[in-house]
Amino acid sequence: MDESVPGQNADISNVRTGLLPAFLSVSGKTRQNDLDIGFTISLQPGTSTAGALRTTDQENRQTFLTVGDSSWGSIKLGRDLGLFGADAILSDVTLLGTGSSFAGGNYRTGSNQGGARGATSSGTSLGRIGIGYLYADWVAQVSYTSPNWNGFSFAVAAVEPYQTTASGTDAFSGVQGDYSSPGFQGKVGYEFTGDVTGKVWSSFWTQEVDGINTQLNGVQDYRATIVDIGGKIAFSGIELLAYYYDGRGAGTTGFLVLSHDANGRKRDSDGGYLQAAYKLPGIGTKLAVSYGESNLDANAVDANTNLVSKNSSWVFGAYHPLTKSLNLVAEYVRTKSETDNGPARSVEEDNISLGAILFF
């Protein structure tokens, strides 16, 4: 944290939810007329209680039905995790822990005073969201998933279009958008087994952003696109992962977050993370280390603003299976957010987390 800014330094303690919220899921399936039919509905009651009234958040991340057959694949209709970036977040070790806890993901979104007190917000922490990948998100979709052909599979989806999200202090006054067509996502992957197991994948997301109305330059239309590639392997208790993404007008942290400048022109973004883990023989404790960053390229009009340019973090974690269902978690995370456009200041967070996560 920048000690030259008065009031920036703070020690904060909290009892809160980690990256995963409490998750209650109900599913059912049957076979009728040579078709596999199923449904899933889930609820995510909040546990974090910022504020005197002690209210909590509650989400409904999944509401979908599926229909298909092993011979030709499956169709999904409803709300579920998106295709783009899903492997990145599901492979992140902080999924079982906390990761970074800054609020909002863009730690410097137009204010060099922001971010330091993010740990007091309700809802979940961030893990590596905005610090190595964009959030896959839970999105309304119509998707098709292929059968698994000896480890190879693919999926495509039409998804509900996103709206642009911008900082109120980043010269975005008057910006509005129309979204006349859905977004599209796709993913292809190959899994392998043996003495060395693993997976390689690549996915994309694209959406037309229509009618960015600005006070300066009329209407700017653009197509937002982002692609990624990743891979992970496991052998002899060792797990290694590498992931990279590259976007044009896609934004940072989430789809269309800070995706364009005050004139409606798209910004470029990229990032990724590296992760290594080792499971101790016998006791089963997993020790992990990872580094990741997300970058957002400024346009000429962004000069002298505090637009975030880079979020990065180191994660050191230990994840111990006390029972087959209960895991104890300990993490140390150092997160940093920087700007290259305005005052040369950075915001930093050192986060130590201890907790438990239960699956049953």
Side-chain angles (χ1 to χ4, degrees):
M1 198 173 300
D2 186 354
E3 298 185 4
S4 67
V5 182
Q8 276 291 87
N9 292 301
D11 294 327
I12 300 170
S13 64
N14 208 343
V15 178
R16 62 167 302 156
T17 305
L19 177 54
L20 279 179
F23 212 105
L24 177 63
S25 181
V26 178
S27 298
K29 61 181 179 179
T30 186
R31 186 164 178 87
Q32 300 176 5
N33 298 343
D34 294 326
L35 292 173
D36 296 317
I37 300 172
F39 77 93
T40 295
I41 298 174
S42 72
L43 298 174
Q44 292 73 42
T47 59
S48 298
T49 52
L53 297 180
R54 300 298 176 185
T55 57
T56 62
D57 294 334
Q58 180 163 311
E59 299 182 68
N60 172 215
R61 297 189 175 191
Q62 294 174 300
T63 304
F64 66 85
L65 66 85
T66 58
V67 57
D69 184 76
S70 59
S71 63
W72 56 266
S74 178
I75 296 172
K76 178 186 297 180
L77 299 94
R79 188 179 190 209
D80 196 18
L81 190 65
L83 297 176
F84 177 83
D87 287 283
I89 190 170
L90 294 177
S91 302
D92 179 8
V93 292
T94 68
L95 192 67
L96 300 183
T98 300
S100 296
S101 60
F102 277 128
N106 297 289
Y107 313 136
R108 183 190 296 276
T109 53
S111 171
N112 54 27
Q113 302 288 333
R117 294 186 175 272
T120 63
S121 64
S122 61
T124 70
S125 63
L126 284 172
R128 280 208 167 281
I129 298 170
I131 326 164
Y133 51 78
L134 270 68
Y135 186 37
D137 217 337
W138 306 85
V139 60
Q141 60 188 272
V142 178
S143 63
Y144 166 76
T145 300
S146 75
N148 187 310
W149 295 297
N150 297 319
F152 173 83
S153 64
F154 72 90
V156 291
V159 301
E160 183 177 8
Y162 285 86
Q163 297 185 8
T164 54
T165 304
S167 166
T169 58
D170 198 27
F172 283 86
S173 178
V175 171
Q176 295 178 347
D178 296 322
Y179 309 93
S180 59
S181 62
F184 298 95
Q185 297 187 355
K187 180 173 69 173
V188 61
Y190 176 71
E191 297 184 71
F192 52 92
T193 59
D195 293 336
V196 177
T197 63
K199 181 179 183 179
V200 292
W201 71 87
S202 180
S203 60
F204 76 90
W205 170 82
T206 183
Q207 179 187 315
E208 187 70 23
V209 181
D210 303 322
I212 300 299
N213 299 316
T214 72
Q215 298 172 344
L216 298 177
N217 292 341
V219 176
Q220 300 285 338
D221 298 341
Y222 69 88
R223 174 162 289 278
T225 58
I226 189 169
V227 296
D228 69 4
I229 186 170
K232 58 184 180 180
I233 60 172
F235 58 94
S236 302
I238 298 172
E239 300 175 4
L240 302 174
L241 179 144
Y243 175 78
Y244 174 76
Y245 72 87
D246 185 79
R248 301 288 182 270
T252 186
T253 300
F255 299 122
L256 299 187
V257 176
L258 299 180
S259 58
H260 62 270
D261 64 25
N263 292 338
R265 294 187 175 90
K266 59 186 177 182
R267 297 183 175 117
D268 295 339
S269 58
D270 68 347
Y273 73 102
L274 299 172
Q275 180 175 283
Y278 178 65
K279 184 176 292 186
L280 297 177
I283 61 175
T285 303
K286 178 185 287 188
L287 304 177
V289 58
S290 70
Y291 172 81
E293 62 183 54
S294 288
N295 305 298
L296 183 67
D297 295 343
N299 295 337
V301 73
D302 297 316
N304 299 317
T305 71
N306 285 324
L307 177 72
V308 62
S309 60
K310 180 179 179 179
N311 293 326
S312 61
S313 73
W314 281 95
V315 173
F316 302 89
Y319 311 88
H320 176 69
L322 190 63
T323 74
K324 66 178 183 179
S325 300
L326 179 63
N327 282 264
L328 304 182
V329 179
E331 286 182 346
Y332 167 70
V333 182
R334 183 168 181 81
T335 307
K336 185 175 184 179
S337 184
E338 306 169 65
T339 179
D340 295 330
N341 309 295
R345 292 171 177 162
S346 63
V347 178
E348 297 179 0
E349 176 194 68
D350 292 293
N351 188 40
I352 298 175
S353 301
L354 300 172
I357 185 166
L358 175 68
F359 295 94
F360 64 92

